[in-house]
Each structure stands twice: as C-alpha cells, then as structure tokens.
C-alpha cells in the first residue's frame, strides 16, 4: 500500500494523553522521542501522523524524518516546511474564500476582488486560482509592468476582466472582496476596509472581524491539517491543487482566524 508520513509538533495535552506520568516530570518531558500518533486511510493511501515533543527539536525532527523516509514513501510537514506546497495550500484558501464570501452575502462570481500586492508570489497564486471563477480582478501593485501579461492572459484565456492599479485608495473604491498578499505597510488602508478578506501575507492583523487566514480540512468527518490532503494528492499523482483532493472526499471543515473558528461546515 502506498503511504506517507506527516510530521507535526506535539501539543501538551497530546503528550499528557500519550505519556500521562512521564510527561509531568519537568525536564524529562523534553527527552520524549518522536512517536506515531495515528494512522489514517484515505481511500487506498495510508497517512501516518508523527508527533514531535518539545525540546531538542532539530535532533528529533532529523530522527523522525530519517525513520519516516525508510518506512513510508514520502514525508511532509507544514510546521517544519518539509515538501510543503504553498500553491496547493493557497488553492484551498481560495476555495474557502468562496465559501466565506457567500456566507457574508457576497460572491466572487458577481463582485470585484482586489489582490494587494498582486506582484508577490502569494498574489500571483491568488490571481491564477481566481481566474476560473472571478468576474473581475483588480491587481494592486507598484510593479505594473510585471503584471501586464497577467491582464492579457485573463482576458484571452478566461474572458475575465482584470485591471492593474497602483493607488490603494482607488483600488478600495472597487473592492468588494480583498486578498492581502504583502507585508508592505502601504496597503494598510486596504487592510482596514470592512470587506470579506483572505490574508495570505500581512504585518499586523486588521482591527475589523471580516477576515480569515487558515482552514481545517476533514476526510470522513475527521478533522486534520491541509498537509494530509497534499500528501494524498501527490501519492495519487493527481494535479497538485485543492480540487483534486475535494473530488476524492476531502472537504473544508472549518474556516479560521488563527485558531478561532469563524465558520464550521
């Protein structure tokens, strides 16, 4: 059977449950070695969850990784950035944005989406992921020349209307939905607009409550991190995009702002 492993940081309550006595002995807790938390079957693919207790993490990660490589076909980790595919992750967040906006009475298919900054890697991912569904996309950036091809591609390939704007105030006039994809403080004006908002990159979280930046996914109603869906898709040799996982039974369970659940589906 094809299999993969996911390495994650162990939470304190998980360690206490696994080692009820050992984990309460102060410094000794740091000596607990990586352990297999559970096995999950995704159709005909086995996913194994390996937990890393705190303390001497670099040594523990190296040991867990080497052991997992020998036992399983592939090893992934979002927390430790091991073969983590950001495009796949962003494709899931764009799908979540679709659900989120509809819950707020807005629709990507009918309204205008502003991406700031559209010239960052995250902004470019968002643009190409939006093309099949968005009615109009506004690309906010100081690097207009870099994105001229994107505008031509949107019109010729998808018939999607796209415009490039440098002024955040002008972009804000058109913003029904916002994707923040930059740590540039010049976009603070956009960040504080009370609009449905997905944050891929930003410095300080907005003060309003209309934004999200993460999701939980599920398979057979069991909640898990997005990295498990990526591992499944890669071993199935399918296109590395969220829809490939969704077609095979994965779904977005929670839309979150850090650890706070905004929408449970």
């Amino acid at each position: 059977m094809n299999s993969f492993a996911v390495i994650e940081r162990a939470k304190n309550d998980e360690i206490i449950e696994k080692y009820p006595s050992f984990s309460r002995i102060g410094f000794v807790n740091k000596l607990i070695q990586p352990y297999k938390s559970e096995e999950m079957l995704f159709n005909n693919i086995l996913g194994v969850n390996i937990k890393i207790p705190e303390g001497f993490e670099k040594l523990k990660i190296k040991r867990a990784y080497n052991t997992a490589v020998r036992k399983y076909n592939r090893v992934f980790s979002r927390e430790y950035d091991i073969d983590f595919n950001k495009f796949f992750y962003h494709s899931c967040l764009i799908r979540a944005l679709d659900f989120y906006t509809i819950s707020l009475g807005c629709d990507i298919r009918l309204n205008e989406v502003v991406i700031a900054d559209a010239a960052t890697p995250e902004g470019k991912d968002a643009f190409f992921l939006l093309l099949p569904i968005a009615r109009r996309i506004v690309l906010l950036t100081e690097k207009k020349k870099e994105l001229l091809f994107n505008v031509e591609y949107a019109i010729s390939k998808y018939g999607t209307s796209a415009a490039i704007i440098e002024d955040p105030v002008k972009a804000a006039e058109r913003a029904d939905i916002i994707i923040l994809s930059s740590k540039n403080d010049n976009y603070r004006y956009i960040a504080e607009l009370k609009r449905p908002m997905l944050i891929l990159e930003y410095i300080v979280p907005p003060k309003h409550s209309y934004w999200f930046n993460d999701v939980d996914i599920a398979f057979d109603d069991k909640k898990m991190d997005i990295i498990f869906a990526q591992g499944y898709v890669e071993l199935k040799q399918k296109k590395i995009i969220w829809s490939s996982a969704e077609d095979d039974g994965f779904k977005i369970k929670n839309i979150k702002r850090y650890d706070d659940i905004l929408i449970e589906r």
Side-chain angles (χ1 to χ4, degrees):
M1 178 184 295
N2 283 339
S3 60
F4 67 94
V6 168
I7 298 177
E8 294 182 316
R9 183 177 288 109
K11 298 178 181 177
N12 286 335
D13 56 346
E14 293 171 334
I15 296 173
I16 291 172
E17 183 178 353
K18 179 73 174 179
Y19 303 100
S21 299
F22 192 52
S23 61
R24 292 191 177 94
I25 311 176
F27 179 78
V28 178
N29 184 34
K30 299 182 183 299
L31 301 180
I32 299 175
Q33 294 303 305
Y35 61 89
K36 182 168 66 175
S37 172
E38 59 181 328
E39 295 183 350
M40 291 171 279
L41 193 62
F42 308 112
N43 300 324
N44 61 339
I45 302 290
L46 178 67
V48 178
N49 194 193
I50 298 174
K51 297 290 187 177
I52 307 291
E54 66 174 347
F56 311 110
E57 276 191 314
K58 288 185 178 180
L59 291 174
K60 291 178 180 179
I61 293 167
K62 184 177 180 179
R63 178 174 297 176
Y65 178 84
N66 290 337
T67 300
V69 166
R70 290 195 298 268
K71 289 186 175 181
Y72 313 107
N73 292 336
R74 293 286 301 278
V75 180
F76 302 92
S77 177
R78 174 151 72 122
E79 288 179 304
Y80 300 114
D81 197 20
I82 300 172
D83 281 352
F84 176 52
N85 188 309
K86 284 192 175 182
F87 185 81
F88 181 82
Y89 178 52
H90 292 158
S91 71
C92 182
L93 291 178
I94 293 297
R95 179 65 165 152
L97 179 64
D98 193 8
F99 296 139
Y100 185 62
T101 53
I102 289 174
S103 75
L104 295 175
C106 194
D107 193 336
I108 292 173
R109 295 158 189 80
L110 303 174
N111 294 276
E112 296 194 15
V113 185
V114 171
I115 305 174
D117 177 352
T120 64
E122 293 79 11
K124 290 176 180 177
D125 280 358
F127 173 75
F128 285 106
L129 289 163
L130 282 171
L131 282 180
I133 56 174
R135 180 182 75 90
R136 180 168 171 79
I137 304 172
V138 176
L139 306 174
L140 178 59
T141 184
E142 297 172 355
K143 302 176 181 178
K144 293 182 68 173
K145 291 183 179 179
E146 192 174 315
L147 298 181
L148 289 175
F149 168 79
N150 291 23
V151 172
E152 295 171 2
Y153 181 82
I155 296 171
S156 63
K157 180 71 174 178
Y158 290 93
T160 301
S161 175
I164 306 176
I165 294 179
E166 292 181 294
D167 185 353
V169 176
K170 288 185 178 180
E173 294 173 356
R174 305 184 178 190
D176 298 307
I177 301 162
I178 296 168
I179 297 175
L180 274 177
S181 54
S182 172
K183 293 182 179 180
N184 190 333
D185 196 50
N186 290 340
Y187 301 121
R188 184 182 296 273
Y189 183 82
I190 287 286
E192 292 306 328
L193 289 175
K194 293 182 179 180
R195 303 285 192 278
M197 187 177 300
L198 164 61
I199 295 184
L200 300 178
E201 285 284 343
Y202 197 58
I203 303 173
V204 181
K207 295 177 182 178
H208 62 78
S209 59
Y210 290 90
W211 61 276
F212 76 97
N213 65 343
D214 205 0
V215 296
D216 288 321
I217 67 165
F219 187 87
D220 287 342
D221 289 327
K222 181 175 179 57
K223 190 175 73 172
M224 63 196 67
D225 188 82
I226 180 69
I227 196 70
F228 286 93
Q230 181 195 324
Y232 168 82
V233 168
E234 291 208 22
L235 262 69
K236 291 288 285 186
Q237 298 183 332
K238 303 185 73 173
K239 187 176 181 181
I240 312 301
I241 192 168
W242 170 251
S243 58
S244 297
E246 200 168 51
D247 288 344
D248 283 4
F250 287 87
K251 68 176 185 177
I252 295 172
K253 177 68 173 175
N254 300 320
I255 297 175
K256 305 191 301 181
R257 184 181 305 133
Y258 295 114
D259 290 329
D260 296 331
I261 295 175
L262 305 181
I263 298 176
E264 185 172 359
R265 301 180 65 251

